[in-house]
Amino acid sequence: MKKALLFLLLSCLIFTASEAQTCGSINLALGRPVTGPASYSYESASLLVDGNTNWHFWPTQRDSDQTATIQLAAPTTICRVVVKWDQYHYGNFKIQVTNTDPSGGGTVTWTDVAVVSSNNSPAVDSNVAINDLSIPNSYGANQWVRFYMIGPLLNNMPEEVEVYGLTGNQLPTVSLTAPTYNAQFAEGNTITLAATAADADGSVHKVEFYQGDTWLGEDSTAPYTLTWSNVATGNYQLYAVAYDNLGATTETGYTNIVVNPGSGWSLKGNAGIRPDSQFLGTIDNSPLIFRTGNTERARIDSTGTLLINTTSLQGADSTTRLAVKGSILAKNLRITQLNWADYVFGDDYKLMPLRKVGKYIDENKHLPGIPTTATITHEGLDVGKGQTMLLQKIEELTLYLLEQDKKLERQQKEINSFKKKLAQKKSN
């Protein structure tokens, strides 16, 4: 009982800590690296983060937009920015953020988190004009902050830029990337759900996937995906929930999808155009699938091939029109064959001498013209060709027997002649 109460208490503490996010009081820009053009070395951009309002930053060009970029110690969700000016020398500006290193040489996308386009009367304290800005926490964690002064700069003198971030556990971010909103699926299809998730001050523990109030499953490793199989007809509302390592959660909005039994197939075909040609089948390249117990048993694919208890045509060629996984029971099986083995009895057919047949068998361990066990195992056996090969060997065997019969007949005649001569000799 005590262990259960302790677990409940710890769970409550973790949940409370995960939700407790406040805007911190530490200036994260103070003393951090900063870049920006200046007229003189003693008026460089570093003066914006030195904590001293006695010196100001004076850009090199005052007739166009100018910037100063501050690198924070780590990616941070910014909640407040304070800009301080010389009392009478303030101007319009933007605060921008990115989590891509601007010095890396690649393309950098800056996001506006605050825009002050009519900076006419900021608050003044001790001869310092102050813009104190609250920043929404919807921009995620970023490591670079850009102070963007909007030109023309009419004797503007910024003295300090202060940056403050959220403290406590930050909520994870999550987005459902698949399926897309209002996507259409055919009944029985497999639907893949996918989400991206991140946590600025920790790690993502798992992402759960839901259909309405029904839990579909979860994934604890990125990329976060789930396979939803044999989905029945209906309209569904899907969403994902991300958990961070402290138990804080964030969920996505709903994504609607439609599963329709009429998607991709028709009970009427083109009956509306030609009443004499109704059909049951697909009207696109989707397969026609037959199921029992909501499990696929057979399908006809876009080439007209019938596949029973399988969806694979591995090992088949382009002429294959039937694939069966299992045994076939038939009362009769008729195979048409263009090259039957009667050619063995042709006058120009050269029958291999039996001694050569024996030598071939000794060396190869199979009859000439008959595939090996390895070949049949790997490639299978064409039944029609197999019957032709067997008939060829039977007809060759018949020819061998006829040759042996002729030899035996000649030998018998010779024996009879010898016996007759021997009898005559004895009688004399």
Side-chain angles (χ1 to χ4, degrees):
M1 182 67 178
K2 290 182 179 179
K3 289 184 178 180
L5 290 174
L6 179 60
F7 175 78
L8 180 62
L9 178 60
L10 289 173
S11 299
C12 293
L13 289 174
I14 291 174
F15 178 78
T16 303
S18 67
E19 297 297 325
Q21 288 182 282
T22 59
C23 197
S25 58
I26 298 176
N27 176 14
L28 303 178
L30 185 63
R32 295 300 304 165
V34 58
T35 57
S39 295
Y40 306 101
S41 60
Y42 55 83
E43 291 177 331
S44 68
S46 61
L47 297 173
L48 291 173
V49 295
D50 64 353
N52 188 344
T53 57
N54 293 324
W55 298 94
H56 60 264
F57 168 52
W58 192 287
T60 56
Q61 299 292 330
R62 288 181 286 171
D63 57 351
S64 60
D65 299 347
Q66 295 293 306
T67 63
T69 302
I70 304 166
Q71 181 182 352
L72 304 181
T76 305
T77 300
I78 297 167
C79 54
R80 179 183 173 215
V81 174
V82 178
V83 180
K84 297 180 179 179
W85 313 76
D86 184 89
Q87 181 175 357
Y88 302 108
H89 301 89
Y90 42 81
N92 300 331
F93 65 96
K94 297 187 290 187
I95 301 298
Q96 300 174 316
V97 295
T98 187
N99 203 30
T100 303
D101 187 351
S103 65
T107 301
V108 178
T109 300
W110 290 94
T111 302
D112 293 342
V113 297
V115 179
V116 179
S117 57
S118 297
N119 196 18
N120 297 324
S121 54
V124 177
D125 183 19
S126 301
N127 298 322
V128 176
I130 301 173
N131 294 110
D132 195 336
L133 309 174
S134 294
I135 308 298
N137 64 359
S138 58
Y139 297 104
N142 294 277
Q143 192 169 0
W144 285 269
V145 179
R146 186 160 74 170
F147 174 53
Y148 189 111
M149 289 179 286
I150 302 173
L153 309 180
L154 303 176
N155 203 25
N156 297 350
M157 297 182 184
E159 297 175 338
E160 284 293 309
V161 176
E162 301 173 359
V163 178
Y164 300 87
L166 290 176
T167 61
N169 182 38
Q170 298 182 38
L171 298 176
T173 59
V174 62
S175 176
L176 191 65
T177 57
T180 57
Y181 191 82
N182 280 342
Q184 301 279 329
F185 297 92
E187 181 187 18
N189 276 9
T190 295
I191 301 174
T192 299
L193 284 71
T196 57
D199 188 45
D201 59 348
S203 61
V204 176
H205 174 58
K206 64 178 179 178
V207 174
E208 295 182 335
F209 297 92
Y210 288 85
Q211 184 282 113
D213 295 329
T214 302
W215 180 83
L216 298 177
E218 64 185 45
D219 193 353
S220 58
T221 57
Y224 304 98
T225 59
L226 177 76
T227 300
W228 188 19
S229 302
N230 294 326
V231 184
T233 298
N235 296 332
Y236 298 96
Q237 291 75 45
L238 307 176
Y239 67 96
V241 180
Y243 290 75
D244 72 4
N245 55 304
L246 294 180
T249 62
T250 301
E251 70 178 52
T252 66
Y254 286 100
T255 293
N256 297 312
I257 66 167
V258 179
V259 178
N260 189 342
S263 177
W265 63 282
S266 172
L267 287 173
K268 296 201 245 179
N270 60 355
I273 301 174
R274 291 186 57 190
D276 61 330
S277 62
Q278 295 185 11
F279 64 84
L280 170 64
T282 64
I283 55 177
D284 53 22
N285 285 327
S286 299
L288 177 61
I289 297 174
F290 301 88
R291 292 183 291 167
T292 60
N294 207 28
T295 300
E296 179 176 333
R297 307 301 184 187
R299 68 167 55 197
I300 301 176
D301 68 13
S302 60
T303 68
T305 301
L306 173 60
L307 299 93
I308 301 176
N309 281 336
T310 182
T311 58
S312 173
L313 283 172
Q314 183 176 0
D317 59 30
S318 60
T319 64
T320 300
R321 288 297 173 264
L322 174 65
V324 180
K325 184 179 180 181
S327 301
I328 298 176
L329 176 64
K331 185 175 181 180
N332 293 293
L333 180 63
R334 183 183 297 273
I335 299 175
T336 59
Q337 198 74 21
L338 297 178
N339 191 24
W340 201 229
D342 290 346
Y343 53 82
V344 173
F345 297 135
D347 294 336
D348 57 347
Y349 185 76
K350 297 186 181 300
L351 189 65
M352 182 183 292
L354 275 176
R355 65 179 182 278
K356 289 188 176 181
V357 174
K359 183 179 180 181
Y360 184 94
I361 293 174
D362 289 339
E363 294 176 352
N364 299 281
K365 306 306 179 186
H366 65 91
L367 283 171
I370 300 297
T372 64
T373 300
T375 300
I376 298 300
T377 302
H378 182 260
E379 300 178 3
L381 175 66
D382 184 306
V383 176
K385 289 182 179 179
Q387 291 294 319
T388 300
M389 288 188 293
L390 292 176
L391 179 60
Q392 178 186 354
K393 295 306 170 186
I394 292 173
E395 292 179 346
E396 288 178 349
L397 179 59
T398 301
L399 293 177
Y400 288 129
L401 288 174
L402 289 173
E403 283 187 358
Q404 293 301 315
D405 184 65
K406 289 179 181 179
K407 288 181 180 179
L408 289 174
E409 186 177 352
R410 287 195 303 269
Q411 289 175 354
Q412 189 62 48
K413 287 181 178 179
E414 291 175 355
I415 291 173
N416 291 339
S417 176
F418 177 76
K419 286 182 176 180
K420 185 177 180 181
K421 292 180 180 180
L422 183 62
Q424 290 176 351
K425 185 176 182 180
K426 286 182 178 181
S427 63
N428 293 331

